[in-house]
Amino acid sequence: MPISRFLSFSSKYRPRQALNLLERLGPSKRVQSSNLSKSTRQNNGKLDVRLVEQVQVEPRVPRSYAIPAAILGFAGLAAFVHYNDERRAVPKGQGSDRGNVKGPTIGGPFTLINTEDKVVTGKDFLGSWVLLYFGYTSSPDVGPEQLKVMAKAINTLESKANLKVLPVFVTLDPQRDNPSHLRAYLKEFEPRIVGLTGSVGAIRQMAQEYRVYFRKIEEEGEDYLVESSHDMYFINPNMEVVRCFGVEYNAEELSEAIQKELKRTSA
């Protein structure tokens, strides 16, 4: 290319004009530029040519990617709100012990049937300390183990500390656990355990009030399994939940924790 045409080209498209053109086309996160100086002699003249060596422009993120990102962000926000709601759940009557925390409470009124086929409500337990457990008689391992822990703990409290706590078992499988079946089952662990059953709707309502997780898993034919949580609830004489105990407690630890709670409330 002749020098005159080259000079005309380089003067027409200067580096600054090139950068301005890129800025008008769209924003970029990074623009790199460098100058290349080249000297040459021709016809006893000195030429100084400055060219743009490299310009890198990162492409825009397509809008189609923004929609999935927004959906993921909304899902994360929903999970965070649900997690905080669960953390705010406090035993009934215990809001004052946790500062000004406000949220859903554990517990509520109920109407069920005992093993003698008589109607029982929450008012029948007023005035007694209650250790409440939700389970089902067809539980293969965790349920029976928890009933053993319950029975041993209340016997330890009575024999060593002269403290009486009423054990109560509520079935989560009322279709199988009728009053007579429930009575025979509980006698194998501790005759003093009060067994409660009822309609499917009444059991579901009480489980929701006490925030008990359970579901029925259908199998072939009419057979099914029950999946549930296995917490115990320690309830004061006003029928307010004051403590929850998980399966990690053995009988000795459970009796000690209950005894400490009784001493704390009576102080």
Side-chain angles (χ1 to χ4, degrees), residues 74-103:
F74 178 78
L77 177 61
F80 177 76
V81 172
H82 175 73
Y83 172 73
N84 277 319
D85 180 70
E86 291 298 319
R87 290 188 64 191
R88 291 198 311 271
V90 296
K92 188 177 181 180
Q94 292 302 294
S96 59
D97 289 344
R98 302 190 184 191
N100 295 323
V101 178
K102 295 181 180 180

mmCIF file of all heavy atoms in Angstrom, residues 74-103:
data_model
loop_
_atom_site.group_PDB
_atom_site.id
_atom_site.type_symbol
_atom_site.label_atom_id
_atom_site.label_comp_id
_atom_site.label_asym_id
_atom_site.label_seq_id
_atom_site.Cartn_x
_atom_site.Cartn_y
_atom_site.Cartn_z
ATOM 1 N N PHE A 74 -35.198 -16.172 43.640
ATOM 2 C CA PHE A 74 -36.487 -16.219 44.338
ATOM 3 C C PHE A 74 -36.608 -17.478 45.166
ATOM 4 O O PHE A 74 -37.101 -17.450 46.297
ATOM 5 C CB PHE A 74 -37.619 -16.143 43.312
ATOM 6 C CG PHE A 74 -38.994 -16.233 43.928
ATOM 7 C CD1 PHE A 74 -39.561 -15.131 44.553
ATOM 8 C CD2 PHE A 74 -39.696 -17.421 43.899
ATOM 9 C CE1 PHE A 74 -40.815 -15.221 45.126
ATOM 10 C CE2 PHE A 74 -40.949 -17.515 44.471
ATOM 11 C CZ PHE A 74 -41.515 -16.398 45.077
ATOM 12 N N ALA A 75 -36.152 -18.629 44.612
ATOM 13 C CA ALA A 75 -36.201 -19.891 45.361
ATOM 14 C C ALA A 75 -35.343 -19.813 46.608
ATOM 15 O O ALA A 75 -35.710 -20.303 47.674
ATOM 16 C CB ALA A 75 -35.758 -21.045 44.463
ATOM 17 N N GLY A 76 -34.170 -19.200 46.480
ATOM 18 C CA GLY A 76 -33.300 -19.048 47.646
ATOM 19 C C GLY A 76 -33.934 -18.182 48.709
ATOM 20 O O GLY A 76 -33.848 -18.474 49.905
ATOM 21 N N LEU A 77 -34.620 -17.116 48.285
ATOM 22 C CA LEU A 77 -35.295 -16.234 49.243
ATOM 23 C C LEU A 77 -36.419 -16.969 49.956
ATOM 24 O O LEU A 77 -36.597 -16.827 51.168
ATOM 25 C CB LEU A 77 -35.848 -15.011 48.509
ATOM 26 C CG LEU A 77 -36.644 -14.005 49.366
ATOM 27 C CD1 LEU A 77 -35.749 -13.441 50.459
ATOM 28 C CD2 LEU A 77 -37.207 -12.900 48.495
ATOM 29 N N ALA A 78 -37.174 -17.788 49.224
ATOM 30 C CA ALA A 78 -38.264 -18.542 49.839
ATOM 31 C C ALA A 78 -37.742 -19.526 50.861
ATOM 32 O O ALA A 78 -38.312 -19.700 51.943
ATOM 33 C CB ALA A 78 -39.075 -19.271 48.748
ATOM 34 N N ALA A 79 -36.624 -20.211 50.526
ATOM 35 C CA ALA A 79 -36.025 -21.165 51.472
ATOM 36 C C ALA A 79 -35.530 -20.451 52.714
ATOM 37 O O ALA A 79 -35.656 -20.960 53.829
ATOM 38 C CB ALA A 79 -34.878 -21.919 50.794
ATOM 39 N N PHE A 80 -34.961 -19.249 52.532
ATOM 40 C CA PHE A 80 -34.463 -18.490 53.684
ATOM 41 C C PHE A 80 -35.605 -18.081 54.610
ATOM 42 O O PHE A 80 -35.503 -18.178 55.831
ATOM 43 C CB PHE A 80 -33.727 -17.254 53.180
ATOM 44 C CG PHE A 80 -33.234 -16.344 54.273
ATOM 45 C CD1 PHE A 80 -32.103 -16.680 55.013
ATOM 46 C CD2 PHE A 80 -33.905 -15.171 54.575
ATOM 47 C CE1 PHE A 80 -31.655 -15.855 56.018
ATOM 48 C CE2 PHE A 80 -33.462 -14.342 55.574
ATOM 49 C CZ PHE A 80 -32.330 -14.685 56.308
ATOM 50 N N VAL A 81 -36.740 -17.655 54.027
ATOM 51 C CA VAL A 81 -37.888 -17.258 54.841
ATOM 52 C C VAL A 81 -38.442 -18.442 55.599
ATOM 53 O O VAL A 81 -38.779 -18.353 56.780
ATOM 54 C CB VAL A 81 -38.975 -16.629 53.938
ATOM 55 C CG1 VAL A 81 -40.259 -16.401 54.729
ATOM 56 C CG2 VAL A 81 -38.473 -15.320 53.360
ATOM 57 N N HIS A 82 -38.545 -19.618 54.903
ATOM 58 C CA HIS A 82 -39.039 -20.827 55.575
ATOM 59 C C HIS A 82 -38.109 -21.237 56.703
ATOM 60 O O HIS A 82 -38.555 -21.612 57.785
ATOM 61 C CB HIS A 82 -39.163 -21.967 54.559
ATOM 62 C CG HIS A 82 -39.553 -23.273 55.171
ATOM 63 N ND1 HIS A 82 -40.832 -23.529 55.637
ATOM 64 C CD2 HIS A 82 -38.824 -24.393 55.432
ATOM 65 C CE1 HIS A 82 -40.875 -24.752 56.136
ATOM 66 N NE2 HIS A 82 -39.670 -25.288 56.023
ATOM 67 N N TYR A 83 -36.791 -21.147 56.484
ATOM 68 C CA TYR A 83 -35.823 -21.509 57.532
ATOM 69 C C TYR A 83 -35.965 -20.605 58.744
ATOM 70 O O TYR A 83 -35.952 -21.057 59.893
ATOM 71 C CB TYR A 83 -34.406 -21.418 56.955
ATOM 72 C CG TYR A 83 -33.306 -21.572 57.980
ATOM 73 C CD1 TYR A 83 -33.032 -22.824 58.539
ATOM 74 C CD2 TYR A 83 -32.548 -20.471 58.373
ATOM 75 C CE1 TYR A 83 -32.025 -22.964 59.470
ATOM 76 C CE2 TYR A 83 -31.553 -20.614 59.303
ATOM 77 C CZ TYR A 83 -31.284 -21.861 59.846
ATOM 78 O OH TYR A 83 -30.286 -21.997 60.769
ATOM 79 N N ASN A 84 -36.146 -19.304 58.504
ATOM 80 C CA ASN A 84 -36.305 -18.379 59.616
ATOM 81 C C ASN A 84 -37.611 -18.625 60.357
ATOM 82 O O ASN A 84 -37.683 -18.463 61.574
ATOM 83 C CB ASN A 84 -36.263 -16.933 59.106
ATOM 84 C CG ASN A 84 -34.842 -16.447 58.937
ATOM 85 O OD1 ASN A 84 -34.004 -16.716 59.771
ATOM 86 N ND2 ASN A 84 -34.579 -15.756 57.848
ATOM 87 N N ASP A 85 -38.667 -19.016 59.628
ATOM 88 C CA ASP A 85 -39.936 -19.315 60.278
ATOM 89 C C ASP A 85 -39.788 -20.496 61.223
ATOM 90 O O ASP A 85 -40.318 -20.501 62.328
ATOM 91 C CB ASP A 85 -41.006 -19.619 59.222
ATOM 92 C CG ASP A 85 -42.346 -19.943 59.852
ATOM 93 O OD1 ASP A 85 -42.971 -19.032 60.415
ATOM 94 O OD2 ASP A 85 -42.750 -21.117 59.794
ATOM 95 N N GLU A 86 -39.045 -21.532 60.787
ATOM 96 C CA GLU A 86 -38.828 -22.685 61.644
ATOM 97 C C GLU A 86 -37.986 -22.314 62.857
ATOM 98 O O GLU A 86 -38.187 -22.820 63.954
ATOM 99 C CB GLU A 86 -38.140 -23.811 60.850
ATOM 100 C CG GLU A 86 -39.037 -24.446 59.796
ATOM 101 C CD GLU A 86 -40.263 -25.098 60.400
ATOM 102 O OE1 GLU A 86 -40.135 -25.737 61.454
ATOM 103 O OE2 GLU A 86 -41.362 -24.921 59.840
ATOM 104 N N ARG A 87 -37.005 -21.437 62.671
ATOM 105 C CA ARG A 87 -36.168 -21.022 63.787
ATOM 106 C C ARG A 87 -36.961 -20.192 64.793
ATOM 107 O O ARG A 87 -36.677 -20.207 65.987
ATOM 108 C CB ARG A 87 -34.976 -20.206 63.293
ATOM 109 C CG ARG A 87 -33.934 -21.013 62.534
ATOM 110 C CD ARG A 87 -32.712 -20.196 62.257
ATOM 111 N NE ARG A 87 -32.065 -19.816 63.508
ATOM 112 C CZ ARG A 87 -31.083 -18.921 63.565
ATOM 113 N NH1 ARG A 87 -30.679 -18.309 62.474
ATOM 114 N NH2 ARG A 87 -30.533 -18.622 64.715
ATOM 115 N N ARG A 88 -37.978 -19.451 64.304
ATOM 116 C CA ARG A 88 -38.768 -18.623 65.204
ATOM 117 C C ARG A 88 -39.793 -19.430 65.976
ATOM 118 O O ARG A 88 -40.375 -18.941 66.937
ATOM 119 C CB ARG A 88 -39.496 -17.526 64.412
ATOM 120 C CG ARG A 88 -38.592 -16.468 63.831
ATOM 121 C CD ARG A 88 -39.397 -15.236 63.465
ATOM 122 N NE ARG A 88 -40.566 -15.575 62.688
ATOM 123 C CZ ARG A 88 -40.569 -15.650 61.362
ATOM 124 N NH1 ARG A 88 -39.472 -15.441 60.680
ATOM 125 N NH2 ARG A 88 -41.670 -15.943 60.722
ATOM 126 N N ALA A 89 -40.057 -20.688 65.566
ATOM 127 C CA ALA A 89 -41.043 -21.500 66.268
ATOM 128 C C ALA A 89 -40.578 -21.755 67.684
ATOM 129 O O ALA A 89 -39.495 -22.265 67.916
ATOM 130 C CB ALA A 89 -41.238 -22.832 65.528
ATOM 131 N N VAL A 90 -41.404 -21.399 68.659
ATOM 132 C CA VAL A 90 -41.035 -21.531 70.059
ATOM 133 C C VAL A 90 -42.093 -22.332 70.778
ATOM 134 O O VAL A 90 -43.268 -22.332 70.402
ATOM 135 C CB VAL A 90 -40.878 -20.148 70.730
ATOM 136 C CG1 VAL A 90 -39.753 -19.368 70.105
ATOM 137 C CG2 VAL A 90 -42.171 -19.354 70.652
ATOM 138 N N PRO A 91 -41.707 -23.073 71.826
ATOM 139 C CA PRO A 91 -42.703 -23.784 72.620
ATOM 140 C C PRO A 91 -43.732 -22.825 73.188
ATOM 141 O O PRO A 91 -43.423 -21.705 73.553
ATOM 142 C CB PRO A 91 -41.866 -24.438 73.729
ATOM 143 C CG PRO A 91 -40.507 -24.552 73.143
ATOM 144 C CD PRO A 91 -40.348 -23.345 72.265
ATOM 145 N N LYS A 92 -44.948 -23.287 73.292
ATOM 146 C CA LYS A 92 -46.041 -22.456 73.784
ATOM 147 C C LYS A 92 -45.735 -21.971 75.194
ATOM 148 O O LYS A 92 -45.383 -22.747 76.074
ATOM 149 C CB LYS A 92 -47.338 -23.261 73.775
ATOM 150 C CG LYS A 92 -48.584 -22.451 74.097
ATOM 151 C CD LYS A 92 -49.808 -23.329 73.983
ATOM 152 C CE LYS A 92 -51.073 -22.547 74.285
ATOM 153 N NZ LYS A 92 -52.267 -23.400 74.187
ATOM 154 N N GLY A 93 -45.856 -20.653 75.410
ATOM 155 C CA GLY A 93 -45.606 -20.078 76.719
ATOM 156 C C GLY A 93 -44.163 -19.732 76.988
ATOM 157 O O GLY A 93 -43.817 -19.273 78.063
ATOM 158 N N GLN A 94 -43.280 -19.933 75.988
ATOM 159 C CA GLN A 94 -41.858 -19.708 76.207
ATOM 160 C C GLN A 94 -41.318 -18.498 75.467
ATOM 161 O O GLN A 94 -40.123 -18.299 75.386
ATOM 162 C CB GLN A 94 -41.057 -20.948 75.792
ATOM 163 C CG GLN A 94 -41.301 -22.140 76.693
ATOM 164 C CD GLN A 94 -40.967 -21.849 78.136
ATOM 165 O OE1 GLN A 94 -39.812 -21.624 78.464
ATOM 166 N NE2 GLN A 94 -41.964 -21.839 78.991
ATOM 167 N N GLY A 95 -42.181 -17.689 74.895
ATOM 168 C CA GLY A 95 -41.720 -16.524 74.154
ATOM 169 C C GLY A 95 -40.954 -15.544 75.022
ATOM 170 O O GLY A 95 -39.981 -14.958 74.597
ATOM 171 N N SER A 96 -41.390 -15.398 76.300
ATOM 172 C CA SER A 96 -40.736 -14.443 77.187
ATOM 173 C C SER A 96 -39.330 -14.863 77.541
ATOM 174 O O SER A 96 -38.471 -14.046 77.820
ATOM 175 C CB SER A 96 -41.569 -14.279 78.469
ATOM 176 O OG SER A 96 -41.706 -15.537 79.123
ATOM 177 N N ASP A 97 -39.049 -16.175 77.550
ATOM 178 C CA ASP A 97 -37.723 -16.660 77.890
ATOM 179 C C ASP A 97 -36.734 -16.447 76.760
ATOM 180 O O ASP A 97 -35.538 -16.589 76.952
ATOM 181 C CB ASP A 97 -37.779 -18.151 78.243
ATOM 182 C CG ASP A 97 -38.466 -18.391 79.583
ATOM 183 O OD1 ASP A 97 -38.623 -17.417 80.356
ATOM 184 O OD2 ASP A 97 -38.850 -19.525 79.828
ATOM 185 N N ARG A 98 -37.216 -16.141 75.576
ATOM 186 C CA ARG A 98 -36.335 -15.966 74.427
ATOM 187 C C ARG A 98 -36.369 -14.526 73.938
ATOM 188 O O ARG A 98 -36.249 -14.257 72.758
ATOM 189 C CB ARG A 98 -36.746 -16.933 73.311
ATOM 190 C CG ARG A 98 -36.706 -18.386 73.750
ATOM 191 C CD ARG A 98 -36.885 -19.309 72.571
ATOM 192 N NE ARG A 98 -36.932 -20.707 72.994
ATOM 193 C CZ ARG A 98 -36.871 -21.743 72.187
ATOM 194 N NH1 ARG A 98 -36.728 -21.549 70.890
ATOM 195 N NH2 ARG A 98 -36.934 -22.985 72.626
ATOM 196 N N GLY A 99 -36.566 -13.615 74.861
ATOM 197 C CA GLY A 99 -36.591 -12.216 74.474
ATOM 198 C C GLY A 99 -37.910 -11.858 73.823
ATOM 199 O O GLY A 99 -38.973 -12.330 74.207
ATOM 200 N N ASN A 100 -37.837 -10.997 72.828
ATOM 201 C CA ASN A 100 -39.038 -10.532 72.148
ATOM 202 C C ASN A 100 -39.297 -11.299 70.863
ATOM 203 O O ASN A 100 -39.888 -10.770 69.928
ATOM 204 C CB ASN A 100 -38.917 -9.030 71.844
ATOM 205 C CG ASN A 100 -38.875 -8.211 73.121
ATOM 206 O OD1 ASN A 100 -39.559 -8.538 74.087
ATOM 207 N ND2 ASN A 100 -38.068 -7.157 73.122
ATOM 208 N N VAL A 101 -38.824 -12.525 70.778
ATOM 209 C CA VAL A 101 -39.025 -13.322 69.576
ATOM 210 C C VAL A 101 -40.501 -13.659 69.418
ATOM 211 O O VAL A 101 -41.136 -14.131 70.353
ATOM 212 C CB VAL A 101 -38.204 -14.627 69.635
ATOM 213 C CG1 VAL A 101 -38.457 -15.470 68.401
ATOM 214 C CG2 VAL A 101 -36.730 -14.298 69.752
ATOM 215 N N LYS A 102 -41.044 -13.376 68.254
ATOM 216 C CA LYS A 102 -42.431 -13.690 67.980
ATOM 217 C C LYS A 102 -42.495 -14.680 66.831
ATOM 218 O O LYS A 102 -41.788 -14.555 65.851
ATOM 219 C CB LYS A 102 -43.204 -12.420 67.618
ATOM 220 C CG LYS A 102 -43.303 -11.426 68.777
ATOM 221 C CD LYS A 102 -44.102 -10.209 68.366
ATOM 222 C CE LYS A 102 -44.216 -9.213 69.497
ATOM 223 N NZ LYS A 102 -44.996 -8.019 69.113
ATOM 224 N N GLY A 103 -43.387 -15.654 66.955
ATOM 225 C CA GLY A 103 -43.502 -16.635 65.892
ATOM 226 C C GLY A 103 -44.527 -17.686 66.263
ATOM 227 O O GLY A 103 -45.194 -17.597 67.297
#
